[in-house]
Amino acid sequence: MKKLRFYLLTCLFIVLFSACEDPDSSPKALLNVILVDSPAQWDSVFVEIEGVDIDVLVQGRETQAQTFYLEYKSGNKRIKVSELVGGTQLLLGRNELPIGLITSATIILGDNHSMFIGEKRYDLELSDPDDNRVSLPTSITLEQGISYDIILDIDLERSIVQTSETPLAYGLDPNFKLVEGKGLVELEGNLKPTSLYPAIYMWSATDTFSTHTNTSGNYIFKVPMDKYTLYFDPKNERYQDTTTLILDLTAVRDSVLEDITFKVKP
């Protein structure tokens, strides 16, 4: 669901754990930070992520604000985010945190980002090279003994910007969305022909999500229960756009849509 938006969703995990080295015995909750992608038309996109800072108002005799760093523990921190579609997701970090209230998650980026269009590589410089931190406010209450998921959805369609026409150059203006994994509805479907790079947009009265298909034409959304409209953009002028009517996802847990085949324009 184009948002280099964090609800980024899937069945195939790259599991990289953050070490839990906390000697105290105070009540804890387990936090998983998961990355998914709403990919764009690019063939391959790599984004370097160092880790995530989690700000917590720790519950105790006196509420205290503390920051916990969840490092992405990989020798190569360049993540091929364009593959995180169709249910595939990446575990960025995991750790036990004290009970309290999460107020924000801050993604800490590196400086080695790039993409490929065909065989041509383009380096992606941050729109602000001096600012490699993307802060996402939230409000998630941590209770003892419960595991929580934070989903970070990166919207590549909005994050990759053309900075020059001659010579052709692109930059990275990172656009993330944060969604709590609890209480989400999973919506999936399939688009044909699979040779296209279609974009799927899903919006309610309060929020918008987007995603792309994998090589088999499958797509998956994980969204809060609500009423949504879906719009399918083939990203190809030879084919007609397809818009569905409102979907009521307020009373169901999961839903599978019928396969959709884009029609060639007359």
Side-chain angles (χ1 to χ4, degrees), residues 195-214:
S195 57
L196 298 177
Y197 291 90
I200 307 103
Y201 300 94
M202 185 172 183
W203 66 86
S204 67
T206 59
D207 213 342
T208 302
F209 301 89
S210 64
T211 192
H212 273 258
T213 58
N214 61 17

PDB file of all heavy atoms in Angstrom, residues 195-214:
ATOM      1  N   SER A 195       2.724  -8.207 -16.185  1.00  0.00           N
ATOM      2  CA  SER A 195       3.841  -7.448 -16.776  1.00  0.00           C
ATOM      3  C   SER A 195       3.771  -5.964 -16.422  1.00  0.00           C
ATOM      4  O   SER A 195       4.745  -5.228 -16.621  1.00  0.00           O
ATOM      5  CB  SER A 195       3.844  -7.614 -18.293  1.00  0.00           C
ATOM      6  OG  SER A 195       2.599  -7.192 -18.847  1.00  0.00           O
ATOM      7  N   LEU A 196       2.621  -5.510 -15.907  1.00  0.00           N
ATOM      8  CA  LEU A 196       2.466  -4.108 -15.539  1.00  0.00           C
ATOM      9  C   LEU A 196       3.054  -3.840 -14.156  1.00  0.00           C
ATOM     10  O   LEU A 196       3.313  -4.763 -13.381  1.00  0.00           O
ATOM     11  CB  LEU A 196       0.980  -3.724 -15.551  1.00  0.00           C
ATOM     12  CG  LEU A 196       0.259  -3.825 -16.890  1.00  0.00           C
ATOM     13  CD1 LEU A 196      -1.211  -3.492 -16.716  1.00  0.00           C
ATOM     14  CD2 LEU A 196       0.902  -2.897 -17.918  1.00  0.00           C
ATOM     15  N   TYR A 197       3.259  -2.553 -13.852  1.00  0.00           N
ATOM     16  CA  TYR A 197       3.660  -2.118 -12.515  1.00  0.00           C
ATOM     17  C   TYR A 197       2.547  -1.236 -11.947  1.00  0.00           C
ATOM     18  O   TYR A 197       2.738  -0.043 -11.732  1.00  0.00           O
ATOM     19  CB  TYR A 197       4.978  -1.341 -12.561  1.00  0.00           C
ATOM     20  CG  TYR A 197       6.185  -2.174 -12.915  1.00  0.00           C
ATOM     21  CD1 TYR A 197       6.577  -2.323 -14.242  1.00  0.00           C
ATOM     22  CD2 TYR A 197       6.926  -2.802 -11.921  1.00  0.00           C
ATOM     23  CE1 TYR A 197       7.690  -3.081 -14.573  1.00  0.00           C
ATOM     24  CE2 TYR A 197       8.039  -3.568 -12.249  1.00  0.00           C
ATOM     25  CZ  TYR A 197       8.414  -3.707 -13.579  1.00  0.00           C
ATOM     26  OH  TYR A 197       9.509  -4.452 -13.899  1.00  0.00           O
ATOM     27  N   PRO A 198       1.384  -1.802 -11.701  1.00  0.00           N
ATOM     28  CA  PRO A 198       0.243  -0.987 -11.277  1.00  0.00           C
ATOM     29  C   PRO A 198       0.390  -0.470  -9.857  1.00  0.00           C
ATOM     30  O   PRO A 198       1.125  -1.025  -9.040  1.00  0.00           O
ATOM     31  CB  PRO A 198      -0.935  -1.961 -11.376  1.00  0.00           C
ATOM     32  CG  PRO A 198      -0.321  -3.300 -11.127  1.00  0.00           C
ATOM     33  CD  PRO A 198       1.040  -3.232 -11.759  1.00  0.00           C
ATOM     34  N   ALA A 199      -0.333   0.609  -9.582  1.00  0.00           N
ATOM     35  CA  ALA A 199      -0.405   1.160  -8.230  1.00  0.00           C
ATOM     36  C   ALA A 199      -1.836   1.010  -7.741  1.00  0.00           C
ATOM     37  O   ALA A 199      -2.784   1.215  -8.503  1.00  0.00           O
ATOM     38  CB  ALA A 199       0.013   2.620  -8.223  1.00  0.00           C
ATOM     39  N   ILE A 200      -1.976   0.642  -6.467  1.00  0.00           N
ATOM     40  CA  ILE A 200      -3.303   0.491  -5.884  1.00  0.00           C
ATOM     41  C   ILE A 200      -3.428   1.492  -4.748  1.00  0.00           C
ATOM     42  O   ILE A 200      -2.578   1.511  -3.845  1.00  0.00           O
ATOM     43  CB  ILE A 200      -3.549  -0.929  -5.362  1.00  0.00           C
ATOM     44  CG1 ILE A 200      -3.249  -1.966  -6.452  1.00  0.00           C
ATOM     45  CG2 ILE A 200      -4.982  -1.086  -4.877  1.00  0.00           C
ATOM     46  CD1 ILE A 200      -1.940  -2.659  -6.285  1.00  0.00           C
ATOM     47  N   TYR A 201      -4.455   2.317  -4.805  1.00  0.00           N
ATOM     48  CA  TYR A 201      -4.688   3.337  -3.787  1.00  0.00           C
ATOM     49  C   TYR A 201      -5.961   2.986  -3.017  1.00  0.00           C
ATOM     50  O   TYR A 201      -6.961   2.571  -3.605  1.00  0.00           O
ATOM     51  CB  TYR A 201      -4.829   4.717  -4.416  1.00  0.00           C
ATOM     52  CG  TYR A 201      -3.609   5.149  -5.189  1.00  0.00           C
ATOM     53  CD1 TYR A 201      -3.532   4.912  -6.566  1.00  0.00           C
ATOM     54  CD2 TYR A 201      -2.545   5.776  -4.556  1.00  0.00           C
ATOM     55  CE1 TYR A 201      -2.402   5.295  -7.287  1.00  0.00           C
ATOM     56  CE2 TYR A 201      -1.423   6.160  -5.272  1.00  0.00           C
ATOM     57  CZ  TYR A 201      -1.353   5.918  -6.629  1.00  0.00           C
ATOM     58  OH  TYR A 201      -0.243   6.291  -7.341  1.00  0.00           O
ATOM     59  N   MET A 202      -5.911   3.185  -1.721  1.00  0.00           N
ATOM     60  CA  MET A 202      -7.032   2.838  -0.861  1.00  0.00           C
ATOM     61  C   MET A 202      -7.211   3.967   0.137  1.00  0.00           C
ATOM     62  O   MET A 202      -6.279   4.306   0.869  1.00  0.00           O
ATOM     63  CB  MET A 202      -6.707   1.516  -0.144  1.00  0.00           C
ATOM     64  CG  MET A 202      -7.804   0.943   0.705  1.00  0.00           C
ATOM     65  SD  MET A 202      -7.310  -0.710   1.260  1.00  0.00           S
ATOM     66  CE  MET A 202      -8.771  -1.201   2.151  1.00  0.00           C
ATOM     67  N   TRP A 203      -8.398   4.581   0.163  1.00  0.00           N
ATOM     68  CA  TRP A 203      -8.567   5.719   1.052  1.00  0.00           C
ATOM     69  C   TRP A 203      -9.910   5.668   1.768  1.00  0.00           C
ATOM     70  O   TRP A 203     -10.895   5.128   1.276  1.00  0.00           O
ATOM     71  CB  TRP A 203      -8.393   7.035   0.296  1.00  0.00           C
ATOM     72  CG  TRP A 203      -9.432   7.337  -0.735  1.00  0.00           C
ATOM     73  CD1 TRP A 203     -10.639   7.951  -0.559  1.00  0.00           C
ATOM     74  CD2 TRP A 203      -9.355   7.040  -2.134  1.00  0.00           C
ATOM     75  NE1 TRP A 203     -11.310   8.068  -1.745  1.00  0.00           N
ATOM     76  CE2 TRP A 203     -10.551   7.514  -2.729  1.00  0.00           C
ATOM     77  CE3 TRP A 203      -8.389   6.429  -2.933  1.00  0.00           C
ATOM     78  CZ2 TRP A 203     -10.797   7.377  -4.092  1.00  0.00           C
ATOM     79  CZ3 TRP A 203      -8.649   6.289  -4.282  1.00  0.00           C
ATOM     80  CH2 TRP A 203      -9.833   6.771  -4.846  1.00  0.00           C
ATOM     81  N   SER A 204      -9.895   6.261   2.975  1.00  0.00           N
ATOM     82  CA  SER A 204     -11.106   6.421   3.775  1.00  0.00           C
ATOM     83  C   SER A 204     -11.327   7.916   3.974  1.00  0.00           C
ATOM     84  O   SER A 204     -10.645   8.746   3.366  1.00  0.00           O
ATOM     85  CB  SER A 204     -10.949   5.720   5.127  1.00  0.00           C
ATOM     86  OG  SER A 204      -9.970   6.383   5.910  1.00  0.00           O
ATOM     87  N   ALA A 205     -12.241   8.260   4.853  1.00  0.00           N
ATOM     88  CA  ALA A 205     -12.494   9.669   5.131  1.00  0.00           C
ATOM     89  C   ALA A 205     -11.346  10.305   5.894  1.00  0.00           C
ATOM     90  O   ALA A 205     -11.208  11.537   5.905  1.00  0.00           O
ATOM     91  CB  ALA A 205     -13.789   9.822   5.928  1.00  0.00           C
ATOM     92  N   THR A 206     -10.491   9.495   6.495  1.00  0.00           N
ATOM     93  CA  THR A 206      -9.436  10.038   7.365  1.00  0.00           C
ATOM     94  C   THR A 206      -8.024   9.676   6.939  1.00  0.00           C
ATOM     95  O   THR A 206      -7.071  10.273   7.428  1.00  0.00           O
ATOM     96  CB  THR A 206      -9.634   9.551   8.806  1.00  0.00           C
ATOM     97  OG1 THR A 206      -9.610   8.117   8.831  1.00  0.00           O
ATOM     98  CG2 THR A 206     -10.965  10.045   9.364  1.00  0.00           C
ATOM     99  N   ASP A 207      -7.851   8.704   6.032  1.00  0.00           N
ATOM    100  CA  ASP A 207      -6.489   8.261   5.734  1.00  0.00           C
ATOM    101  C   ASP A 207      -6.406   7.691   4.326  1.00  0.00           C
ATOM    102  O   ASP A 207      -7.429   7.349   3.714  1.00  0.00           O
ATOM    103  CB  ASP A 207      -6.038   7.201   6.743  1.00  0.00           C
ATOM    104  CG  ASP A 207      -4.545   7.285   7.024  1.00  0.00           C
ATOM    105  OD1 ASP A 207      -3.815   7.901   6.215  1.00  0.00           O
ATOM    106  OD2 ASP A 207      -4.112   6.753   8.052  1.00  0.00           O
ATOM    107  N   THR A 208      -5.178   7.581   3.823  1.00  0.00           N
ATOM    108  CA  THR A 208      -4.926   7.032   2.496  1.00  0.00           C
ATOM    109  C   THR A 208      -3.755   6.062   2.556  1.00  0.00           C
ATOM    110  O   THR A 208      -2.749   6.323   3.226  1.00  0.00           O
ATOM    111  CB  THR A 208      -4.601   8.142   1.482  1.00  0.00           C
ATOM    112  OG1 THR A 208      -5.692   9.074   1.435  1.00  0.00           O
ATOM    113  CG2 THR A 208      -4.378   7.567   0.100  1.00  0.00           C
ATOM    114  N   PHE A 209      -3.869   4.949   1.844  1.00  0.00           N
ATOM    115  CA  PHE A 209      -2.813   3.953   1.754  1.00  0.00           C
ATOM    116  C   PHE A 209      -2.593   3.619   0.280  1.00  0.00           C
ATOM    117  O   PHE A 209      -3.473   3.822  -0.553  1.00  0.00           O
ATOM    118  CB  PHE A 209      -3.190   2.666   2.506  1.00  0.00           C
ATOM    119  CG  PHE A 209      -3.476   2.877   3.965  1.00  0.00           C
ATOM    120  CD1 PHE A 209      -4.755   3.188   4.390  1.00  0.00           C
ATOM    121  CD2 PHE A 209      -2.465   2.781   4.903  1.00  0.00           C
ATOM    122  CE1 PHE A 209      -5.027   3.389   5.735  1.00  0.00           C
ATOM    123  CE2 PHE A 209      -2.720   2.979   6.252  1.00  0.00           C
ATOM    124  CZ  PHE A 209      -4.000   3.282   6.670  1.00  0.00           C
ATOM    125  N   SER A 210      -1.429   3.068  -0.015  1.00  0.00           N
ATOM    126  CA  SER A 210      -1.170   2.647  -1.383  1.00  0.00           C
ATOM    127  C   SER A 210      -0.157   1.520  -1.379  1.00  0.00           C
ATOM    128  O   SER A 210       0.591   1.333  -0.427  1.00  0.00           O
ATOM    129  CB  SER A 210      -0.655   3.815  -2.226  1.00  0.00           C
ATOM    130  OG  SER A 210       0.581   4.259  -1.741  1.00  0.00           O
ATOM    131  N   THR A 211      -0.135   0.764  -2.457  1.00  0.00           N
ATOM    132  CA  THR A 211       0.828  -0.316  -2.584  1.00  0.00           C
ATOM    133  C   THR A 211       0.977  -0.687  -4.046  1.00  0.00           C
ATOM    134  O   THR A 211       0.341  -0.109  -4.924  1.00  0.00           O
ATOM    135  CB  THR A 211       0.403  -1.550  -1.761  1.00  0.00           C
ATOM    136  OG1 THR A 211       1.501  -2.471  -1.695  1.00  0.00           O
ATOM    137  CG2 THR A 211      -0.777  -2.246  -2.399  1.00  0.00           C
ATOM    138  N   HIS A 212       1.845  -1.681  -4.308  1.00  0.00           N
ATOM    139  CA  HIS A 212       2.037  -2.240  -5.645  1.00  0.00           C
ATOM    140  C   HIS A 212       1.879  -3.745  -5.570  1.00  0.00           C
ATOM    141  O   HIS A 212       1.738  -4.316  -4.495  1.00  0.00           O
ATOM    142  CB  HIS A 212       3.417  -1.887  -6.182  1.00  0.00           C
ATOM    143  CG  HIS A 212       3.470  -0.576  -6.885  1.00  0.00           C
ATOM    144  ND1 HIS A 212       3.473  -0.454  -8.247  1.00  0.00           N
ATOM    145  CD2 HIS A 212       3.496   0.684  -6.400  1.00  0.00           C
ATOM    146  CE1 HIS A 212       3.519   0.828  -8.578  1.00  0.00           C
ATOM    147  NE2 HIS A 212       3.530   1.529  -7.476  1.00  0.00           N
ATOM    148  N   THR A 213       1.966  -4.371  -6.719  1.00  0.00           N
ATOM    149  CA  THR A 213       1.887  -5.832  -6.787  1.00  0.00           C
ATOM    150  C   THR A 213       3.280  -6.434  -6.801  1.00  0.00           C
ATOM    151  O   THR A 213       4.265  -5.774  -7.147  1.00  0.00           O
ATOM    152  CB  THR A 213       1.145  -6.271  -8.062  1.00  0.00           C
ATOM    153  OG1 THR A 213       1.841  -5.749  -9.209  1.00  0.00           O
ATOM    154  CG2 THR A 213      -0.279  -5.750  -8.062  1.00  0.00           C
ATOM    155  N   ASN A 214       3.355  -7.723  -6.428  1.00  0.00           N
ATOM    156  CA  ASN A 214       4.616  -8.432  -6.599  1.00  0.00           C
ATOM    157  C   ASN A 214       4.656  -9.014  -8.010  1.00  0.00           C
ATOM    158  O   ASN A 214       3.780  -8.728  -8.845  1.00  0.00           O
ATOM    159  CB  ASN A 214       4.786  -9.510  -5.519  1.00  0.00           C
ATOM    160  CG  ASN A 214       3.699 -10.573  -5.559  1.00  0.00           C
ATOM    161  OD1 ASN A 214       2.987 -10.725  -6.544  1.00  0.00           O
ATOM    162  ND2 ASN A 214       3.568 -11.317  -4.469  1.00  0.00           N
TER     163      ASN A 214
END
